Amino acid sequence: MSPREIPTYCRICEPLCGLIATVEDGKLLQLRADKEHPLSRGNACPKGIAFTAVQNDPDRVLYPLRRTATGFERVGWDEALDDIGARLRGIMREHGRESLGWYFGNPSSFSYSHTLWIVGFQLAAGLRHVYSAGSQDVNNRFVASHLLYGSLTSVPVPDLDRTEFLLMLGANPVVSHGSVISVPRIREKLTAITKRGGRVVVVDPRRTETARLFEHVGIRPDGDAWLLASLLQVIFAEGLEDTEALRRQAAGVRELRAAVARFTPEATAEVTGLDPDRVRILARDLATAGSAAVYGRTGTCLGRHATLVAFLIDALAVVTGNLDAPGGSVFGKELVAVSELNARLGLIGYGKSRSRIGDFPDVLGTFPAAIMAKEITTPGPGQLRALFTSAGNPASSVPNPRELSTALDQLDLFVSIDLYVNDTNRKADYILPATTFLERDDIPLPFAALSPTPYTQYTERVLEPAGEAREEWQIIDALATRIGVTPFTAGPARPLGRLFSTLRRKLPGGSTLRPTPTLLVDLALRTGPYGDRFGLRRDGLSLAKLRRHPHGLVLSDSIPTGVLRKVVQHKDNRVHLAPPEITAELTTLTAPPTDPSYPLRVIGMRELKSHNSWMHNAEPLMRGSRRQQARIHPKDAAAANIPDGAPCRITSPHGSITVPILLTEDMTPGTIAIPHGWGHRGGWHLANAAGGANVNDLTSTNLEDIERLAGMSNLNGIPVRIEPVVLAEHRPDQAV
Ligand SMILES: Nc1nc2c(c(=O)[nH]1)N[C@H]1C(S)=C(S)[C@@H](COP(=O)(O)OP(=O)(O)OC[C@H]3O[C@@H](n4cnc5c(=O)[nH]c(N)nc54)[C@H](O)[C@@H]3O)O[C@H]1N2
Ligand SMILES: Nc1nc2c(c(=O)[nH]1)N[C@H]1C(S)=C(S)[C@@H](COP(=O)(O)OP(=O)(O)OC[C@H]3O[C@@H](n4cnc5c(=O)[nH]c(N)nc54)[C@H](O)[C@@H]3O)O[C@H]1N2
Ligand code: SF4
Ligand SMILES: [Mo]
């Protein structure tokens, strides 16, 4: 058969760029950027193109694997599922359901069926130990939205196409391609702001690829809460706040004003490292700009005050009259009414339960991944004994991964659903092979609301599953059956369960047919905000309509504003600017203690050709002997007597790693940037051979090091010291 060219889209990161897959005899020959995609218009990054190497990777897991004394052996699906089911039932009989747990990783958010079925299973099985990559990523953002708007899932995005001033903190979209915002060609969108006479100000301890294109404010790590409080202080003190907007939208203005009063730019200069005059001018410019958007990403999420920082980012938008206003921070419309449904049914929320270890509130039904190890090792009722991971590599991505790795050995049962034997599931009893994104149908449900140009796309699977790979939802469904639960049918999800039963009756084939994700999503889409209401709305969406537009569909030119009343769920219908959690933290905020034994700070960074921990086995991304490097200012390296390129021992109070250094004046002195996701020990040959160290070995899971409000891991601003490595001392497994 001659090759076929099939439009689909990339599901590695948030722009969701359009791709064309060339397929011959059921095999993927290549991926290229889709010129007909309405937004990415022929643009894709090296990772998207290199996904061919993941798809066809000889190291991929294609059959269920079972651990034996000597390594993994291939087993049949039924044998694997039956044994897992029997062991689960045994564990549940002896220790109750509360001994079961699940960790789902970052790639799960790009699969609607995977996410849906995890939530359905969690609710039906009454799972308590649920963890995700969110506590290393974005949960603080959700909690800030809960406090401000009474709605966890309402997150504003910068209105890039219309803004005159973008203040961006702790994000490097030129490399990351944007996150908690879904925009292909984001670099062009940003440069367009300055081309039309606007400004982009990037607050980051490193002069990043993004900062280099615009104005750079070189803040000290973890100084953001102080900077934002100072910006608010100046705006209030100089009467630059938008009183009209505040009167209309907000409650707690007086209390916020009082809480930030002590944070003058002079008072915060020590922590931020910034010139007070520059901060004052920034505050004035932001407040007087025709329109302004404030945006923060992982650099503001992985410090010690993550929720406070996310909160102050939006508070600044409110106080300057830029929330829900054109060119400001705006709220996109959801493709399916998740927030509304959730508010009505109360399915998942914030602080509905507390963790056994550390008493942390749940965020959307999940607890901090940083406590997972202690939940496994601490005896008592509710001890975590059977763990599933899907699309996650927590032994690489969470703080203190050594602690987690050791804890995994103690589990009664550990099952992983993944593409690879990774750094975590090498300890599993079973690894179940998942389909890649090209082997499943998809629609990017959560991302339509995060796109300044709302759009969506539906794709069928482009390839049949390789080997015996299965979709996650099918695996979850099969596991659920083995322990006698049906996703979505119990607890607060009962109304959905009833809907399922109705559907089942109406389906051809009768009661034996279980509802599928495709069926469910079509229903949600058609009844959702953009839906066709089964023909009542002529231009509305349905899967059938999306199938007729295989390159994707733009839903409107921009995000409509003036929607705040619908977004805010607080009873008084106002944005709450002074919830007690926030004012208390502002009142007690003190400069982080400095320890002369650890004078420097480590922060994270992303690389164009890495994706968290899982693309280091893709040959096209690893050419030229790519290695992990620690970026450091020449002055700091000279003081420690370490020449450029030499291995360097980096030691924190919690651990030590060895990484070669790269001298660059892009770093603010005192700060070292190290990419995460290196130092592999899985079943992926190229990744293992690439060496490197796990930067998270420097980080801590001590309860006082986990952010209180959202349970965020502290992965940025880690105090360290550096030393040269004498060659005899360093072993090949240590990084270089
Ligand atoms: N120090 C430090 N640590 C960090 C960060 C940082 O900035 N600094 N960033 C954090 C962030 S933002 C995140 S999101 C987390 C990520 O943390 P995790 O989600 O725990 O880890 P990933 O590295 O994304 O690993 C994803 C796994 O999913 C598998 N996979 C890929 N596609 C699929 C699929 O379609 N189905 C299935 N079943 N499996 C799949 C891959 O093989 C891989 O094993 O880590 C974070 N950790
Ligand atoms: N190529 C590539 N793209 C990716 C990923 C990848 O691994 N590789 N991962 C994807 C994922 S899971 C995510 S969540 C997104 C993340 O998207 P981004 O957050 O845009 O990604 P980063 O490059 O980590 O940017 C964080 C920035 O914060 C800065 N920073 C560190 N500490 C501080 C601080 O205390 N204050 C301030 N103001 N800045 C600080 C760092 O120097 C860095 O430049 O990227 C996604 N896209
Ligand atoms: S930026 Fe790259 S990895 Fe991200 S969606 Fe686009 S092609 Fe895929
Ligand atoms: Mo992430």
Side-chain angles (χ1 to χ4, degrees), residues 103 105-107 136-137 391 393 397 417-420 422 434 440 472 606 612-614 676 695-696 715:
Y103 173 96
N106 172 272
Q136 295 101 262
D137 187 344
N393 194 6
S397 60
I417 307 172
D418 209 283
L419 308 178
Y420 287 105
N422 66 21
R440 62 174 193 247
E472 293 87 354
R606 279 170 166 76
N612 294 330
S613 75
W614 66 273
H676 67 282
V695 68
N696 285 330
L715 304 174

PDB file of all heavy atoms in Angstrom, residues 103 105-107 136-137 391 393 397 417-420 422 434 440 472 606 612-614 676 695-696 715, ligand 1:
ATOM      1  N   TYR A 103      -0.854   7.113  41.226  1.00  0.00           N
ATOM      2  CA  TYR A 103      -0.125   8.331  40.830  1.00  0.00           C
ATOM      3  C   TYR A 103      -0.247   8.469  39.327  1.00  0.00           C
ATOM      4  O   TYR A 103       0.157   7.560  38.599  1.00  0.00           O
ATOM      5  CB  TYR A 103       1.360   8.234  41.222  1.00  0.00           C
ATOM      6  CG  TYR A 103       2.203   9.390  40.690  1.00  0.00           C
ATOM      7  CD1 TYR A 103       2.495  10.504  41.479  1.00  0.00           C
ATOM      8  CD2 TYR A 103       2.716   9.371  39.388  1.00  0.00           C
ATOM      9  CE1 TYR A 103       3.263  11.568  40.984  1.00  0.00           C
ATOM     10  CE2 TYR A 103       3.473  10.433  38.887  1.00  0.00           C
ATOM     11  CZ  TYR A 103       3.738  11.517  39.687  1.00  0.00           C
ATOM     12  OH  TYR A 103       4.490  12.571  39.189  1.00  0.00           O
ATOM     13  N   GLY A 105       0.824  10.740  35.979  1.00  0.00           N
ATOM     14  CA  GLY A 105       1.847  11.713  35.618  1.00  0.00           C
ATOM     15  C   GLY A 105       1.388  12.686  34.548  1.00  0.00           C
ATOM     16  O   GLY A 105       0.239  12.661  34.093  1.00  0.00           O
ATOM     17  N   ASN A 106       2.306  13.533  34.134  1.00  0.00           N
ATOM     18  CA  ASN A 106       2.010  14.628  33.216  1.00  0.00           C
ATOM     19  C   ASN A 106       1.355  14.214  31.895  1.00  0.00           C
ATOM     20  O   ASN A 106       0.355  14.820  31.489  1.00  0.00           O
ATOM     21  CB  ASN A 106       3.300  15.437  32.982  1.00  0.00           C
ATOM     22  CG  ASN A 106       3.159  16.464  31.910  1.00  0.00           C
ATOM     23  OD1 ASN A 106       3.381  16.181  30.739  1.00  0.00           O
ATOM     24  ND2 ASN A 106       2.730  17.644  32.288  1.00  0.00           N
ATOM     25  N   PRO A 107       1.836  13.186  31.187  1.00  0.00           N
ATOM     26  CA  PRO A 107       1.210  12.874  29.891  1.00  0.00           C
ATOM     27  C   PRO A 107      -0.275  12.499  29.994  1.00  0.00           C
ATOM     28  O   PRO A 107      -0.994  12.548  28.998  1.00  0.00           O
ATOM     29  CB  PRO A 107       2.035  11.687  29.362  1.00  0.00           C
ATOM     30  CG  PRO A 107       3.372  11.847  30.005  1.00  0.00           C
ATOM     31  CD  PRO A 107       3.058  12.365  31.388  1.00  0.00           C
ATOM     32  N   GLN A 136       3.997  18.929  41.687  1.00  0.00           N
ATOM     33  CA  GLN A 136       5.303  19.418  41.220  1.00  0.00           C
ATOM     34  C   GLN A 136       5.079  20.455  40.122  1.00  0.00           C
ATOM     35  O   GLN A 136       6.004  20.825  39.417  1.00  0.00           O
ATOM     36  CB  GLN A 136       6.151  18.312  40.598  1.00  0.00           C
ATOM     37  CG  GLN A 136       6.579  17.215  41.517  1.00  0.00           C
ATOM     38  CD  GLN A 136       5.696  15.999  41.305  1.00  0.00           C
ATOM     39  OE1 GLN A 136       4.760  15.791  42.047  1.00  0.00           O
ATOM     40  NE2 GLN A 136       5.980  15.215  40.285  1.00  0.00           N
ATOM     41  N   ASP A 137       3.848  20.910  39.943  1.00  0.00           N
ATOM     42  CA  ASP A 137       3.574  21.650  38.721  1.00  0.00           C
ATOM     43  C   ASP A 137       2.615  22.822  38.939  1.00  0.00           C
ATOM     44  O   ASP A 137       3.022  23.983  38.870  1.00  0.00           O
ATOM     45  CB  ASP A 137       3.015  20.648  37.686  1.00  0.00           C
ATOM     46  CG  ASP A 137       2.838  21.227  36.310  1.00  0.00           C
ATOM     47  OD1 ASP A 137       2.850  22.453  36.196  1.00  0.00           O
ATOM     48  OD2 ASP A 137       2.673  20.466  35.356  1.00  0.00           O
ATOM     49  N   ALA A 391       1.493   6.838  33.292  1.00  0.00           N
ATOM     50  CA  ALA A 391       2.136   7.973  32.635  1.00  0.00           C
ATOM     51  C   ALA A 391       2.883   8.847  33.627  1.00  0.00           C
ATOM     52  O   ALA A 391       2.817  10.065  33.575  1.00  0.00           O
ATOM     53  CB  ALA A 391       1.116   8.795  31.852  1.00  0.00           C
ATOM     54  N   ASN A 393       6.591   9.195  36.267  1.00  0.00           N
ATOM     55  CA  ASN A 393       7.918   8.720  36.633  1.00  0.00           C
ATOM     56  C   ASN A 393       8.336   9.393  37.935  1.00  0.00           C
ATOM     57  O   ASN A 393       9.344  10.104  37.990  1.00  0.00           O
ATOM     58  CB  ASN A 393       8.896   9.023  35.497  1.00  0.00           C
ATOM     59  CG  ASN A 393      10.204   8.272  35.654  1.00  0.00           C
ATOM     60  OD1 ASN A 393      10.371   7.436  36.550  1.00  0.00           O
ATOM     61  ND2 ASN A 393      11.164   8.570  34.784  1.00  0.00           N
ATOM     62  N   SER A 397      10.731  12.491  39.276  1.00  0.00           N
ATOM     63  CA  SER A 397      10.194  13.855  39.250  1.00  0.00           C
ATOM     64  C   SER A 397       9.841  14.449  40.607  1.00  0.00           C
ATOM     65  O   SER A 397       9.632  15.643  40.706  1.00  0.00           O
ATOM     66  CB  SER A 397       8.961  13.893  38.348  1.00  0.00           C
ATOM     67  OG  SER A 397       7.962  13.019  38.825  1.00  0.00           O
ATOM     68  N   ILE A 417       1.445   1.587  34.323  1.00  0.00           N
ATOM     69  CA  ILE A 417       0.988   1.618  32.933  1.00  0.00           C
ATOM     70  C   ILE A 417       1.852   2.647  32.216  1.00  0.00           C
ATOM     71  O   ILE A 417       1.789   3.840  32.530  1.00  0.00           O
ATOM     72  CB  ILE A 417      -0.497   2.030  32.852  1.00  0.00           C
ATOM     73  CG1 ILE A 417      -1.360   1.142  33.750  1.00  0.00           C
ATOM     74  CG2 ILE A 417      -0.982   2.008  31.407  1.00  0.00           C
ATOM     75  CD1 ILE A 417      -2.812   1.602  33.880  1.00  0.00           C
ATOM     76  N   ASP A 418       2.682   2.208  31.304  1.00  0.00           N
ATOM     77  CA  ASP A 418       3.653   3.141  30.711  1.00  0.00           C
ATOM     78  C   ASP A 418       4.105   2.645  29.339  1.00  0.00           C
ATOM     79  O   ASP A 418       3.762   1.542  28.911  1.00  0.00           O
ATOM     80  CB  ASP A 418       4.872   3.287  31.639  1.00  0.00           C
ATOM     81  CG  ASP A 418       5.542   4.654  31.506  1.00  0.00           C
ATOM     82  OD1 ASP A 418       6.278   4.874  30.511  1.00  0.00           O
ATOM     83  OD2 ASP A 418       5.319   5.515  32.381  1.00  0.00           O
ATOM     84  N   LEU A 419       4.894   3.519  28.681  1.00  0.00           N
ATOM     85  CA  LEU A 419       5.486   3.145  27.394  1.00  0.00           C
ATOM     86  C   LEU A 419       6.828   2.458  27.586  1.00  0.00           C
ATOM     87  O   LEU A 419       7.322   1.774  26.691  1.00  0.00           O
ATOM     88  CB  LEU A 419       5.714   4.388  26.527  1.00  0.00           C
ATOM     89  CG  LEU A 419       4.552   5.355  26.303  1.00  0.00           C
ATOM     90  CD1 LEU A 419       5.029   6.531  25.457  1.00  0.00           C
ATOM     91  CD2 LEU A 419       3.407   4.641  25.613  1.00  0.00           C
ATOM     92  N   TYR A 420       7.447   2.721  28.740  1.00  0.00           N
ATOM     93  CA  TYR A 420       8.821   2.274  28.976  1.00  0.00           C
ATOM     94  C   TYR A 420       8.975   1.638  30.345  1.00  0.00           C
ATOM     95  O   TYR A 420       8.163   1.869  31.248  1.00  0.00           O
ATOM     96  CB  TYR A 420       9.766   3.494  28.951  1.00  0.00           C
ATOM     97  CG  TYR A 420      10.009   4.090  27.588  1.00  0.00           C
ATOM     98  CD1 TYR A 420       9.411   5.289  27.225  1.00  0.00           C
ATOM     99  CD2 TYR A 420      10.866   3.473  26.683  1.00  0.00           C
ATOM    100  CE1 TYR A 420       9.644   5.860  25.976  1.00  0.00           C
ATOM    101  CE2 TYR A 420      11.106   4.043  25.429  1.00  0.00           C
ATOM    102  CZ  TYR A 420      10.500   5.237  25.081  1.00  0.00           C
ATOM    103  OH  TYR A 420      10.742   5.781  23.859  1.00  0.00           O
ATOM    104  N   ASN A 422      10.720   2.662  33.166  1.00  0.00           N
ATOM    105  CA  ASN A 422      11.338   3.942  33.524  1.00  0.00           C
ATOM    106  C   ASN A 422      12.027   3.845  34.893  1.00  0.00           C
ATOM    107  O   ASN A 422      12.188   2.751  35.434  1.00  0.00           O
ATOM    108  CB  ASN A 422      10.311   5.078  33.424  1.00  0.00           C
ATOM    109  CG  ASN A 422       9.182   4.958  34.456  1.00  0.00           C
ATOM    110  OD1 ASN A 422       9.325   4.295  35.478  1.00  0.00           O
ATOM    111  ND2 ASN A 422       8.067   5.604  34.174  1.00  0.00           N
ATOM    112  N   ALA A 434       1.070   0.771  27.522  1.00  0.00           N
ATOM    113  CA  ALA A 434       0.058   1.746  27.093  1.00  0.00           C
ATOM    114  C   ALA A 434       0.246   2.072  25.623  1.00  0.00           C
ATOM    115  O   ALA A 434       1.350   1.961  25.073  1.00  0.00           O
ATOM    116  CB  ALA A 434       0.199   3.028  27.911  1.00  0.00           C
ATOM    117  N   ARG A 440      -4.358   6.340  19.915  1.00  0.00           N
ATOM    118  CA  ARG A 440      -5.663   6.533  20.578  1.00  0.00           C
ATOM    119  C   ARG A 440      -6.364   7.757  19.994  1.00  0.00           C
ATOM    120  O   ARG A 440      -5.714   8.660  19.461  1.00  0.00           O
ATOM    121  CB  ARG A 440      -5.483   6.687  22.094  1.00  0.00           C
ATOM    122  CG  ARG A 440      -4.662   7.884  22.481  1.00  0.00           C
ATOM    123  CD  ARG A 440      -4.608   8.131  23.995  1.00  0.00           C
ATOM    124  NE  ARG A 440      -4.064   9.455  24.240  1.00  0.00           N
ATOM    125  CZ  ARG A 440      -2.884   9.700  24.821  1.00  0.00           C
ATOM    126  NH1 ARG A 440      -2.123   8.732  25.264  1.00  0.00           N
ATOM    127  NH2 ARG A 440      -2.478  10.940  24.969  1.00  0.00           N
ATOM    128  N   GLU A 472      -5.212   3.396  28.287  1.00  0.00           N
ATOM    129  CA  GLU A 472      -5.278   3.392  29.756  1.00  0.00           C
ATOM    130  C   GLU A 472      -6.690   3.135  30.259  1.00  0.00           C
ATOM    131  O   GLU A 472      -6.893   2.406  31.227  1.00  0.00           O
ATOM    132  CB  GLU A 472      -4.767   4.716  30.336  1.00  0.00           C
ATOM    133  CG  GLU A 472      -3.282   4.980  30.147  1.00  0.00           C
ATOM    134  CD  GLU A 472      -2.973   5.654  28.832  1.00  0.00           C
ATOM    135  OE1 GLU A 472      -3.896   5.824  27.998  1.00  0.00           O
ATOM    136  OE2 GLU A 472      -1.794   6.024  28.621  1.00  0.00           O
ATOM    137  N   ARG A 606      14.193  24.240  31.598  1.00  0.00           N
ATOM    138  CA  ARG A 606      13.822  23.234  30.599  1.00  0.00           C
ATOM    139  C   ARG A 606      14.672  23.385  29.358  1.00  0.00           C
ATOM    140  O   ARG A 606      15.142  24.470  29.051  1.00  0.00           O
ATOM    141  CB  ARG A 606      12.337  23.361  30.258  1.00  0.00           C
ATOM    142  CG  ARG A 606      11.499  22.675  31.296  1.00  0.00           C
ATOM    143  CD  ARG A 606      10.028  22.929  31.182  1.00  0.00           C
ATOM    144  NE  ARG A 606       9.317  21.976  32.008  1.00  0.00           N
ATOM    145  CZ  ARG A 606       9.227  22.041  33.330  1.00  0.00           C
ATOM    146  NH1 ARG A 606       9.800  23.030  33.980  1.00  0.00           N
ATOM    147  NH2 ARG A 606       8.580  21.126  34.000  1.00  0.00           N
ATOM    148  N   ASN A 612      10.614  16.667  30.275  1.00  0.00           N
ATOM    149  CA  ASN A 612      10.673  16.112  31.626  1.00  0.00           C
ATOM    150  C   ASN A 612      11.637  14.928  31.604  1.00  0.00           C
ATOM    151  O   ASN A 612      12.760  15.087  31.158  1.00  0.00           O
ATOM    152  CB  ASN A 612       9.270  15.784  32.142  1.00  0.00           C
ATOM    153  CG  ASN A 612       8.451  17.070  32.323  1.00  0.00           C
ATOM    154  OD1 ASN A 612       9.004  18.126  32.605  1.00  0.00           O
ATOM    155  ND2 ASN A 612       7.159  16.988  32.162  1.00  0.00           N
ATOM    156  N   SER A 613      11.198  13.736  32.033  1.00  0.00           N
ATOM    157  CA  SER A 613      12.175  12.646  32.116  1.00  0.00           C
ATOM    158  C   SER A 613      12.083  11.650  30.968  1.00  0.00           C
ATOM    159  O   SER A 613      12.762  10.648  30.981  1.00  0.00           O
ATOM    160  CB  SER A 613      11.965  11.886  33.436  1.00  0.00           C
ATOM    161  OG  SER A 613      10.801  11.077  33.343  1.00  0.00           O
ATOM    162  N   TRP A 614      11.217  11.904  29.960  1.00  0.00           N
ATOM    163  CA  TRP A 614      10.918  10.730  29.133  1.00  0.00           C
ATOM    164  C   TRP A 614      11.256  10.794  27.647  1.00  0.00           C
ATOM    165  O   TRP A 614      10.870   9.908  26.911  1.00  0.00           O
ATOM    166  CB  TRP A 614       9.465  10.298  29.321  1.00  0.00           C
ATOM    167  CG  TRP A 614       8.397  11.230  28.837  1.00  0.00           C
ATOM    168  CD1 TRP A 614       7.843  12.249  29.539  1.00  0.00           C
ATOM    169  CD2 TRP A 614       7.703  11.186  27.591  1.00  0.00           C
ATOM    170  NE1 TRP A 614       6.853  12.856  28.816  1.00  0.00           N
ATOM    171  CE2 TRP A 614       6.749  12.213  27.611  1.00  0.00           C
ATOM    172  CE3 TRP A 614       7.803  10.372  26.445  1.00  0.00           C
ATOM    173  CZ2 TRP A 614       5.888  12.473  26.536  1.00  0.00           C
ATOM    174  CZ3 TRP A 614       6.948  10.641  25.382  1.00  0.00           C
ATOM    175  CH2 TRP A 614       6.008  11.668  25.433  1.00  0.00           C
ATOM    176  N   HIS A 676      15.940  19.153  35.100  1.00  0.00           N
ATOM    177  CA  HIS A 676      15.532  17.923  35.784  1.00  0.00           C
ATOM    178  C   HIS A 676      15.325  16.797  34.758  1.00  0.00           C
ATOM    179  O   HIS A 676      15.375  17.041  33.558  1.00  0.00           O
ATOM    180  CB  HIS A 676      14.247  18.165  36.585  1.00  0.00           C
ATOM    181  CG  HIS A 676      13.040  18.442  35.732  1.00  0.00           C
ATOM    182  ND1 HIS A 676      12.816  19.659  35.141  1.00  0.00           N
ATOM    183  CD2 HIS A 676      11.998  17.662  35.352  1.00  0.00           C
ATOM    184  CE1 HIS A 676      11.690  19.616  34.451  1.00  0.00           C
ATOM    185  NE2 HIS A 676      11.175  18.411  34.554  1.00  0.00           N
ATOM    186  N   VAL A 695      18.501  15.967  39.686  1.00  0.00           N
ATOM    187  CA  VAL A 695      18.628  17.194  40.484  1.00  0.00           C
ATOM    188  C   VAL A 695      17.743  17.140  41.730  1.00  0.00           C
ATOM    189  O   VAL A 695      18.022  17.780  42.734  1.00  0.00           O
ATOM    190  CB  VAL A 695      18.335  18.442  39.613  1.00  0.00           C
ATOM    191  CG1 VAL A 695      16.877  18.495  39.193  1.00  0.00           C
ATOM    192  CG2 VAL A 695      18.725  19.726  40.347  1.00  0.00           C
ATOM    193  N   ASN A 696      16.692  16.318  41.665  1.00  0.00           N
ATOM    194  CA  ASN A 696      15.804  16.241  42.828  1.00  0.00           C
ATOM    195  C   ASN A 696      16.440  15.541  44.025  1.00  0.00           C
ATOM    196  O   ASN A 696      15.907  15.598  45.134  1.00  0.00           O
ATOM    197  CB  ASN A 696      14.473  15.589  42.446  1.00  0.00           C
ATOM    198  CG  ASN A 696      13.620  16.559  41.649  1.00  0.00           C
ATOM    199  OD1 ASN A 696      13.724  17.763  41.843  1.00  0.00           O
ATOM    200  ND2 ASN A 696      12.813  16.043  40.748  1.00  0.00           N
ATOM    201  N   LEU A 715      11.055  22.747  44.680  1.00  0.00           N
ATOM    202  CA  LEU A 715      12.078  22.256  43.750  1.00  0.00           C
ATOM    203  C   LEU A 715      12.947  23.384  43.195  1.00  0.00           C
ATOM    204  O   LEU A 715      13.863  23.140  42.424  1.00  0.00           O
ATOM    205  CB  LEU A 715      11.409  21.496  42.595  1.00  0.00           C
ATOM    206  CG  LEU A 715      10.498  20.320  42.980  1.00  0.00           C
ATOM    207  CD1 LEU A 715       9.785  19.762  41.765  1.00  0.00           C
ATOM    208  CD2 LEU A 715      11.278  19.223  43.688  1.00  0.00           C
TER     209      LEU A 715
HETATM  210  N1  LIG B   1      13.505  19.539  39.851  1.00  0.00           N
HETATM  211  C1  LIG B   1      12.409  19.615  39.119  1.00  0.00           C
HETATM  212  N2  LIG B   1      11.541  18.575  39.086  1.00  0.00           N
HETATM  213  C2  LIG B   1      10.430  18.658  38.349  1.00  0.00           C
HETATM  214  C3  LIG B   1      10.127  19.826  37.616  1.00  0.00           C
HETATM  215  C4  LIG B   1      11.046  20.898  37.657  1.00  0.00           C
HETATM  216  O1  LIG B   1      10.843  21.951  37.028  1.00  0.00           O
HETATM  217  N3  LIG B   1      12.166  20.751  38.417  1.00  0.00           N
HETATM  218  N4  LIG B   1       8.972  19.907  36.859  1.00  0.00           N
HETATM  219  C5  LIG B   1       7.889  19.042  37.244  1.00  0.00           C
HETATM  220  C6  LIG B   1       6.766  19.032  36.327  1.00  0.00           C
HETATM  221  S1  LIG B   1       6.178  20.535  35.780  1.00  0.00           S
HETATM  222  C7  LIG B   1       6.129  17.900  35.980  1.00  0.00           C
HETATM  223  S2  LIG B   1       4.760  18.000  34.967  1.00  0.00           S
HETATM  224  C8  LIG B   1       6.526  16.599  36.550  1.00  0.00           C
HETATM  225  C9  LIG B   1       6.476  15.426  35.603  1.00  0.00           C
HETATM  226  O2  LIG B   1       6.520  14.287  36.384  1.00  0.00           O
HETATM  227  P1  LIG B   1       5.956  12.883  35.899  1.00  0.00           P
HETATM  228  O3  LIG B   1       4.699  13.057  35.180  1.00  0.00           O
HETATM  229  O4  LIG B   1       5.981  11.984  37.093  1.00  0.00           O
HETATM  230  O5  LIG B   1       7.125  12.361  34.951  1.00  0.00           O
HETATM  231  P2  LIG B   1       7.447  12.457  33.416  1.00  0.00           P
HETATM  232  O6  LIG B   1       8.883  12.686  33.322  1.00  0.00           O
HETATM  233  O7  LIG B   1       6.543  13.390  32.734  1.00  0.00           O
HETATM  234  O8  LIG B   1       7.180  10.954  32.952  1.00  0.00           O
HETATM  235  C10 LIG B   1       6.077  10.582  32.212  1.00  0.00           C
HETATM  236  C11 LIG B   1       6.014   9.078  32.023  1.00  0.00           C
HETATM  237  O9  LIG B   1       4.894   8.811  31.185  1.00  0.00           O
HETATM  238  C12 LIG B   1       5.252   7.923  30.131  1.00  0.00           C
HETATM  239  N5  LIG B   1       4.360   8.212  29.011  1.00  0.00           N
HETATM  240  C13 LIG B   1       4.490   9.095  27.989  1.00  0.00           C
HETATM  241  N6  LIG B   1       3.389   9.098  27.228  1.00  0.00           N
HETATM  242  C14 LIG B   1       2.525   8.211  27.773  1.00  0.00           C
HETATM  243  C15 LIG B   1       1.203   7.788  27.450  1.00  0.00           C
HETATM  244  O10 LIG B   1       0.581   8.270  26.496  1.00  0.00           O
HETATM  245  N7  LIG B   1       0.628   6.870  28.271  1.00  0.00           N
HETATM  246  C16 LIG B   1       1.292   6.319  29.345  1.00  0.00           C
HETATM  247  N8  LIG B   1       0.658   5.448  30.101  1.00  0.00           N
HETATM  248  N9  LIG B   1       2.550   6.693  29.643  1.00  0.00           N
HETATM  249  C17 LIG B   1       3.142   7.637  28.895  1.00  0.00           C
HETATM  250  C18 LIG B   1       6.715   8.145  29.894  1.00  0.00           C
HETATM  251  O11 LIG B   1       7.301   7.000  29.365  1.00  0.00           O
HETATM  252  C19 LIG B   1       7.205   8.472  31.328  1.00  0.00           C
HETATM  253  O12 LIG B   1       7.607   7.300  31.969  1.00  0.00           O
HETATM  254  O13 LIG B   1       7.841  16.653  37.087  1.00  0.00           O
HETATM  255  C20 LIG B   1       8.327  17.685  37.636  1.00  0.00           C
HETATM  256  N10 LIG B   1       9.556  17.613  38.333  1.00  0.00           N
END
